[in-house]
Each structure stands twice: as C-alpha cells, then as structure tokens.
Amino acid sequence: MRSHRIAVIPGDGIGQEVIEAGKKVLSALAEKSGDLCFEFVDFDWSSQRYLEKGEYIPAGGLDKLSRFDAIYFGAVGSQDVPDHISLWELRLAICQGFDQYANVRPARVLPGVNSRLKGAESIDWIIVRENSEGEYSGNGGRVHQGFPDEVGTEVSVFTKKGVERIHRFAFQLAQSRPRKQLTLVTKSNAQRYGMVLWDEVFFEVAKDYPDVSIDRELVDAVTTRMVLKPETMDVIVATNLHADILSDLAAALSGSLGIAPTANLNPARTFPSMFEPIHGSAFDIAGKGIANPVGSFWTAVMMLEHLGESTAAERLMAAIERLTASGLQTKDLGGTATTRDVTQAICADIERQ
Ligand code: GGG
C-alpha cells in the first residue's frame, strides 16, 4: 500500500467547499485503486483564525507542515482582513518559506466547456510563474505616513540565481512537451534593469536547450497574442506579477477561473510543494454550495503527478474530462449543478471505472 501524508489548508471562502470536495474525490480514487491511501491532516489556517487569534500560521506551524508529502490548499482572502495581510501571512508565507519557486499553471479547454473565444480549442498552454521574488520580493516601505509628502516604494528584485532557475525549469518543461516551444514574457523596454537581467539570463540558458524553439514577447503584446493567436504558444515563462495576471486571462479564455489549477513546486524537494486552484476565496458565492470544484480536482491531478502517482492522476483527469463533457456544469460554466452534484458525479464515475 502506497500512503501519502497530505496537509490540507482549505483557508477562506469557497476554498473550504472545493477542498472538501477534492478530498472526497481523492478518497474515492484511493478506495477504488486498493493499493493507494491518503492521510489527510486538516489545518485551520485562515482569516477566521487570524481574526480570532491574531495569526494565520501558529508558531512552529511551517516546521510541522514541512513533514508532509504535499500541501493541498484552497484559497485566501477575506472582506474582514486587508488583502496584503492575508496574502503575505498565509499563501506567500508558505510559498516563499518553502522555496516553492516554480508556479505551474496549465490552461486548456476541457471537453464540453464553452469558451467565449473563437478558436479556443487550440489553447494548450502552461504558464510558468516565477514564485519567489520579482515584484513579490516584499522589498519596499512607507515613510511620512499620513502627511502630504508620504512616500510608498515597492521595489522588484531579480536575482541571477532566481531568474536562472525559473528559466531552466521552464526550458525543461518545454523540452518535455511535443511542441518544445517557450515564450519569454518581459517588459524590458520600460524596465531597464531587473527585466533586462531577466531577458539576458533567458538567452544564456537557452544555449543549453537547442531543441526548444523560443521567442520573446512584451507582456502587453502577449495578451493580444493569447486572444488572437492562441495556437502559437506552448510554454510561457513570466515574472511573478505578469504570470499572475496572464494566468487569470488564460483561465477565462479556457472557460472559467473555476477550472484552473496550480502547483507551487519546490523542484529540489527540500520542502513539500503546494497545490491549489487558481481562484481565490470568492466570498460573493461562498457558502452557497455553487462553487466549481473542478479547479480543485485538476489541482489534485497535479498533486498526484508530483507524488509519483501517474496512473491515479491519469484516471482522475479522464474522469474530470468525462464529467465536463457530460454537461454537468456549475453556474460559472453556464450550468445549474451544485458543488455537491459535480462531486458526487465524479466519485460515481471513479467507482464505475
Ligand atoms: N488559491 C489561490 C488564492 O487563494 N489566491 C489568493 C490571491 O490573492 N493570490 C494573489 C497572488 O497570489 O498573487
């Protein structure tokens, strides 16, 4: 029996609902396989906890988390806590604390899903988001607060080490795909220091991967290319902020933010990696039972792949595709199904296979 210890952090809003659904699906998969099991340990780290106890992660929390095989995360964000506190105290504390520098975001139109974009069937991208530095370095400050000459700075930091490792990761990922194509996203026309280093290191690393075809696109231009020529891209590497924005666009073009998954990888495996749907806490629909759990199921597929459970990952992905093809879809995809309907359907499918 292969057993995996999974730390579960549902977090805020619909994170609670979709991660509960994901656990059910993973348990159904384990039960069906007979030789696989998951030990889920729940953590109540959330904005609710912050409001009650003044902290998202308790003392020693990251140390405890470091002993798990993977982390299954929901969402963070609350109307009652400023966003810069919730994001930095929970999601970024884990991503940066565990050096999960490679954030991987696939985008594809699943069977039966309608995109508003003509030609969207050709979307088959993986966006690689630098996940440890850049615009999210936390380097800045505020002085003269409350006075007319108040100043706020937010300084992006690009280190050669940080840039090289994410480009290398993106090249290796592109190399593993049939089209072997990698697009560098940049803004080095306007930002002439960090972004120029970002570009220079990319072209240096490219020499080690001659079989990968490359191109370079400014971040503003790449948005139009994603809409007008989606078939021309494969793997896309972008900075922390640029990739965050582009992946929301990619998810919307693929049908809905509700289906998009993410892996926050520590490729060296010195710490556990963290898997989460791209969407946030969506408090406008939280508690209504209508959130789309497909993003958390696809996220579970990425977690299974990372855990070396490729057969289970393929089985789950096939079940997700049968589900979307069946037309049983939540409101974000134009349907009327609830989170529970979709979860029950996929568990039943896994049981039948
Ligand atoms: N599951 C993703 C999530 O909760 N995201 C919250 C968020 O605000 N993310 C912004 C970011 O990571 O840049």
Side-chain angles (χ1 to χ4, degrees):
M1 178 78 76
R2 297 182 311 287
S3 176
H4 302 286
R5 290 189 77 228
I6 312 292
V8 181
I9 310 175
D12 296 334
I14 62 166
Q16 297 276 342
E17 297 158 54
V18 298
I19 293 300
E20 192 52 38
K23 275 165 65 181
K24 284 195 181 122
V25 165
L26 282 164
S27 298
L29 204 62
E31 200 169 311
K32 183 72 185 173
S33 86
D35 60 357
L36 172 65
C37 78
F38 300 104
E39 186 197 334
F40 295 116
V41 178
D42 292 325
F43 290 80
D44 68 346
W45 302 353
S46 61
S47 295
Q48 185 63 37
R49 187 177 196 284
Y50 175 78
L51 291 167
E52 283 164 14
K53 303 194 171 155
E55 61 188 10
Y56 280 84
I57 303 180
L62 281 190
D63 195 36
K64 204 167 164 196
L65 206 58
S66 71
R67 292 192 279 274
F68 284 83
D69 298 320
I71 305 159
Y72 194 34
F73 184 88
V76 66
S78 159
Q79 281 169 307
D80 302 319
V81 182
D83 288 338
H84 64 278
I85 294 180
S86 58
L87 188 65
W88 276 93
E89 299 279 314
L90 186 55
R91 185 179 173 274
L92 295 182
I94 300 170
C95 292
Q96 298 194 355
F98 285 173
D99 204 18
Q100 295 164 349
Y101 69 82
N103 182 275
V104 179
R105 302 186 157 196
R108 185 158 65 81
V109 182
L110 299 181
V113 169
N114 286 320
S115 166
R116 293 186 194 184
L117 180 71
K118 223 172 114 207
E121 321 74 60
S122 60
I123 294 177
D124 185 7
W125 306 324
I126 299 187
I127 298 179
V128 176
R129 173 184 183 184
E130 199 296 314
N131 211 33
S132 67
E133 53 173 39
E135 307 88 344
Y136 285 60
S137 297
N139 182 19
R142 287 175 70 175
V143 288
H144 311 309
Q145 260 176 283
F147 292 93
D149 56 354
E150 182 170 350
V151 177
T153 61
E154 194 84 42
V155 183
S156 299
V157 175
F158 292 92
T159 65
K160 196 165 184 180
K161 175 187 153 193
V163 171
E164 181 177 344
R165 66 185 184 175
I166 196 65
H167 286 332
R168 219 166 263 291
F169 180 91
F171 270 100
Q172 283 163 15
L173 183 62
Q175 209 171 33
S176 73
R177 285 166 60 89
R179 289 161 67 195
K180 298 191 194 324
Q181 199 188 321
L182 178 61
T183 299
L184 169 73
V185 174
T186 185
K187 193 62 190 172
S188 55
N189 56 344
Q191 297 182 303
R192 55 193 171 151
Y193 305 112
M195 288 272 75
V196 173
L197 176 70
W198 171 259
D199 291 4
E200 278 174 12
V201 174
F202 178 86
F203 290 108
E204 202 51 47
V205 170
K207 293 176 189 161
D208 293 338
Y209 303 90
D211 53 334
V212 175
S213 62
I214 54 173
D215 59 5
R216 172 182 168 279
E217 201 75 81
L218 295 176
V219 64
D220 43 329
V222 87
T223 58
T224 57
R225 184 163 158 197
M226 286 166 76
V227 174
L228 300 176
K229 295 181 184 168
E231 71 287 355
T232 65
M233 281 180 299
D234 179 16
V235 179
I236 299 162
V237 64
T239 68
N240 217 327
L241 181 62
H242 291 168
D244 184 43
I245 298 164
L246 295 179
S247 54
D248 271 29
L249 173 61
L253 294 175
S254 313
S256 166
L257 197 55
I259 56 174
T262 313
N264 299 282
L265 298 179
N266 172 298
R269 295 183 184 251
T270 44
F271 290 104
S273 294
M274 180 162 81
F275 301 84
E276 58 175 336
I278 282 187
H279 64 70
S281 52
F283 26 77
D284 54 326
I285 58 161
K288 295 186 178 166
I290 57 169
N292 191 344
V294 168
S296 73
F297 300 160
W298 194 350
T299 292
V301 170
M302 297 185 85
M303 184 165 74
L304 289 167
E305 281 163 357
H306 181 76
L307 293 169
E309 298 293 348
S310 52
T311 306
E314 276 163 30
R315 267 190 206 155
L316 179 52
M317 197 67 222
I320 293 169
E321 293 189 1
R322 280 191 295 272
L323 173 95
T324 54
S326 77
L328 188 76
Q329 291 169 352
T330 45
K331 197 172 170 210
D332 55 309
L333 292 173
T336 54
T338 62
T339 312
R340 187 193 292 183
D341 294 337
V342 172
T343 309
Q344 281 176 348
I346 208 148
C347 289
D349 178 293
I350 289 166
E351 175 57 33
R352 271 196 309 275
Q353 297 307 313

